């Protein structure tokens, strides 16, 4: 009896502590914005500065579901807990953020706190925006309150059911896993250009939200390049693509890119040897193509300063034997015949593609990732390289899954391009393809 009584009292105490904790988190917000609650009409120059920063922050990609209604929200995010819809961030006073003070705006962007004091879902990358400087917050506020057209479009109700819809657990997550907002320190870098690039990559660009692996609580494992997990590649697919390693690894990262080639890739979506695809295509189209030459180069230079994840980081060595076998008529390797039939005309038997037009497959980091989902998806779905300001020509890769290749053939082809020309990817199974295409 005594043991049962002790257990009962312990359980009651635990439940009581949990209830008290839940109530406390429902009201406690943690640190909040130090900026003014007053609204002052800004200058034209400040609004224009904010417009540029909003493009670098890629606000359009998440807050615009209809191109004719910019920043009116409504874009669906399919999460493990349900569907989340992005909010209207136009200056409409009823449905948007028209009644936000500068402090309210800062609380949402850097602190992850809504105007009503509740925590935001971290689909909003406030953990990355935490490093933004106050002058940039003021410029962004000026743009969204005075430079954006107000749209009276109601916010869609989130498809997240109770109890997962409760906000207080988000407060606990925010306090445990997001950065405490603190203006970025340029002085930690000896090179001003790298400092600027670091600020853009870590903050407005929020590159870590996709390219840094996540922990058990779906938190970014690190926010600083001093930890080798930072920007070491996404741990889970995003819209069917695995974000690549952005550190200095030669096979899976950016080790064999030059600063010049990486700058071109970020600015245009393509370079002499490579082209972006998947979710990164949207980032180029909506954001980076509008960056200044100085800012894009600074980002590239910062990324090139990152040390590789692997201590043993062998250089990529091109293997001529694949090309020699194909041109001699030897297509006995798994998937080689499908490559000749479906890919070689554009990517060539050398796997080197055509400079600035069709990207190289040899040495391509996305093909050497441990997870083959990107290779499977681009074969199955195809890809369109949209024209940008600096590279207006459109190139399209057709899909292969509709009426050209079976699941087994896709697996064979993916295996071939991941293991040829010196690539160090692993073979792909039919079950891998089936999982992806489902």
């Amino acid at each position: 009896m005594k043991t049962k009584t002790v257990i009962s009292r312990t359980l009651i105490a635990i439940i009581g502590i949990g209830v008290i904790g839940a109530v406390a988190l429902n009201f406690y917000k943690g640190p909040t914005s130090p900026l003014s609650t007053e609204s002052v009409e800004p200058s034209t120059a400040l609004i224009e500065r904010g417009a540029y920063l909003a493009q670098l922050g890629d606000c359009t990609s998440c807050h615009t579901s209809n191109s004719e209604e910019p920043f009116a929200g409504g874009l669906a995010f399919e999460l493990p807990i349900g569907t989340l819809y992005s909010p209207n961030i136009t200056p409409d006073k009823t449905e948007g953020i028209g009644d936000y003070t500068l402090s309210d705006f800062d609380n949402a962007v850097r602190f992850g706190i809504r105007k009503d004091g509740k925590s935001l879902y971290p689909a909003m990358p406030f953990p990355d925006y935490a490093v933004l400087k106050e002058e940039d917050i003021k410029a962004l506020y000026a743009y969204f309150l005075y430079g954006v057209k107000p749209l009276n479009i109601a916010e869609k109700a989130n498809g997240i059911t109770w109890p997962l819809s409760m906000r207080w657990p988000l407060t606990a997550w925010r306090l445990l896993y997001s950065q405490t907002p603190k203006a970025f320190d340029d002085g930690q870098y000896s090179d001003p250009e790298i400092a600027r690039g670091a600020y853009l990559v870590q903050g407005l660009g929020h590159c870590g939200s996709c390219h840094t692996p996540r922990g058990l609580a779906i938190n970014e494992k690190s926010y600083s390049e001093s930890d080798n997990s930072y920007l070491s590649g996404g741990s889970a697919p995003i819209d069917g693509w695995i974000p690549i390693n952005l550190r200095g690894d030669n096979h899976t990262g950016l080790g064999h890119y030059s600063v010049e080639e990486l700058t071109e890739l970020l600015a245009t979506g393509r370079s002499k040897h490579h082209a972006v695809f998947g979710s990164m295509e949207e980032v180029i189209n909506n954001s980076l193509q509008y960056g200044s030459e100085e800012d894009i180069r600074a980002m590239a230079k910062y990324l090139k300063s990152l040390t590789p994840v692997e201590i043993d980081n062998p250089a990529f060595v091109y293997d001529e034997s694949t090309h020699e076998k194909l041109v001699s008529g030897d297509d006995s390797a798994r998937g080689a015949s499908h490559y000749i039939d479906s890919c070689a005309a554009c990517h060539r038997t050398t796997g080197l593609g055509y400079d600035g037009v069709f990207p190289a497959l040899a040495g391509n980091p996305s093909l050497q990732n441990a997870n083959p989902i990107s290779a499977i998806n681009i074969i199955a779905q195809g890809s369109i390289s949209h024209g940008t300001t600096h590279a207006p020509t459109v190139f399209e890769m057709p899909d292969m899954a509709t009426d050209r290749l079976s699941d087994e053939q896709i697996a064979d082809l993916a295996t071939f391009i991941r293991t040829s020309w010196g690539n160090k990817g692993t073979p792909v199974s039919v079950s891998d393809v089936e999982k992806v295409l489902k």
Side-chain angles (χ1 to χ4, degrees):
M1 285 293 291
K2 182 178 284 189
T3 301
K4 289 183 179 179
T5 301
V6 171
I7 293 174
S8 298
R9 289 176 177 174
T10 301
L11 290 173
I12 291 171
I14 291 172
I15 292 170
I17 292 171
V19 170
I20 292 170
V23 172
L25 287 171
N26 199 44
F27 291 98
Y28 176 66
K29 292 184 288 188
T32 55
S33 172
L35 299 183
S36 171
T37 58
E38 297 179 5
S39 296
V40 179
E41 189 161 344
S43 66
T44 300
L46 191 64
I47 294 172
E48 291 176 350
R49 172 70 177 165
Y52 174 72
L53 295 175
Q55 284 184 320
L56 284 185
D58 198 15
C59 304
T60 294
S61 289
C62 290
H63 289 279
T64 301
S65 58
N66 181 341
S67 61
E68 296 181 358
E69 299 169 345
F71 304 119
L75 194 69
F77 292 82
E78 300 297 336
L79 306 176
I81 59 174
T83 304
L84 182 70
Y85 292 94
S86 60
N88 181 337
I89 57 170
T90 73
D92 183 80
K93 290 187 178 295
T94 304
E95 302 296 344
I97 60 172
D99 62 346
Y100 272 49
T101 65
L102 174 59
S103 179
D104 293 332
F105 183 83
D106 188 25
N107 275 332
V109 174
R110 290 196 300 170
F111 292 79
I113 303 171
R114 301 192 312 190
K115 184 175 175 62
D116 64 2
K118 304 296 184 182
S119 291
L120 292 169
Y121 285 96
M124 164 67 175
F126 63 84
D128 300 276
Y129 291 161
V131 301
L132 295 188
K133 298 174 183 178
E134 291 183 0
E135 57 262 36
D136 284 346
I137 291 293
K138 292 175 182 177
L140 285 164
Y141 176 74
Y143 171 62
F144 280 107
L145 268 291
Y146 297 93
V148 171
K149 179 183 177 181
L151 295 171
N152 188 252
I153 297 174
E155 184 175 329
K156 292 183 179 180
N158 292 327
I160 301 174
T161 57
W162 190 90
L164 297 176
S165 60
M166 292 190 297
R167 292 274 174 168
W168 67 263
L170 294 175
T171 301
W173 187 98
R174 177 168 55 81
L175 296 174
L176 285 170
Y177 297 113
S178 66
Q179 300 184 88
T180 300
K182 181 181 179 182
F184 186 84
D185 177 16
D186 295 286
Q188 62 187 300
Y189 300 95
S190 58
D191 183 335
E193 191 175 16
I194 289 180
R196 175 63 177 171
Y199 175 64
L200 294 174
V201 168
Q202 294 175 21
L204 275 173
H206 59 282
C207 304
S209 64
C210 290
H211 290 274
T212 297
R214 300 272 176 166
L216 293 176
I218 321 299
N219 57 296
E220 292 174 46
K221 287 189 174 181
S222 176
Y223 298 102
S224 169
E225 74 272 354
S226 60
D227 185 328
N228 270 2
S229 68
Y230 181 65
L231 298 181
S232 64
S235 53
I238 296 177
D239 297 331
W241 310 96
I242 290 286
I244 68 166
N245 177 356
L246 298 183
R247 299 186 71 95
D249 298 84
N250 283 314
H251 286 274
T252 60
L254 305 179
H256 64 283
Y257 286 69
S258 66
V259 170
E260 289 69 28
E261 183 176 9
L262 186 55
T263 300
E264 183 182 8
L265 188 66
L266 293 176
T268 68
R270 63 191 77 158
S271 67
K272 182 177 181 181
H273 300 298
H274 298 285
V276 302
F277 58 88
S279 303
M280 192 64 191
E281 176 83 15
E282 188 175 51
V283 175
I284 301 295
N285 293 340
N286 292 336
S287 176
L288 294 183
Q289 69 163 313
Y290 302 109
S292 68
E293 184 178 344
E294 294 78 14
D295 278 346
I296 299 302
R297 179 180 169 82
M299 294 174 72
K301 193 170 180 180
Y302 167 68
L303 291 173
K304 283 297 295 179
S305 75
L306 301 180
T307 57
V309 176
E310 305 252 352
I311 297 175
D312 178 19
N313 180 35
F316 173 77
V317 178
Y318 180 78
D319 183 356
E320 183 72 25
S321 65
T322 302
H323 167 60
E324 292 174 346
K325 288 179 181 179
L326 292 179
V327 295
S328 70
D330 182 356
D331 62 357
S332 59
R334 182 186 172 193
S337 61
H338 304 310
Y339 182 81
I340 291 292
D341 290 342
S342 302
C343 311
C346 295
H347 297 284
R348 303 164 63 193
T349 54
T350 60
L352 297 176
Y354 288 94
D355 291 354
V357 181
F358 302 118
L361 304 180
N364 195 310
S366 63
L367 295 179
Q368 301 179 80
N369 194 293
N371 190 326
I373 186 173
S374 293
I376 294 169
N377 263 328
I378 200 163
I379 292 170
Q381 298 179 16
S383 180
I384 298 178
S385 181
H386 294 89
T388 59
T389 303
H390 307 288
T393 307
V394 177
F395 297 107
E396 182 174 0
M397 174 180 163
D399 70 274
M400 304 287 183
T402 304
D403 55 14
R404 191 177 184 97
L405 299 177
S406 67
D407 289 358
E408 181 178 5
Q409 291 169 330
I410 290 174
D412 291 343
L413 178 53
T415 296
F416 182 78
I417 63 176
R418 281 168 56 82
T419 59
S420 298
W421 308 290
N423 287 348
K424 301 296 183 184
T426 53
V428 179
S429 68
V430 176
S431 63
D432 290 331
V433 175
E434 290 173 346
K435 289 175 184 176
V436 172
L437 299 191
K438 280 182 180 179

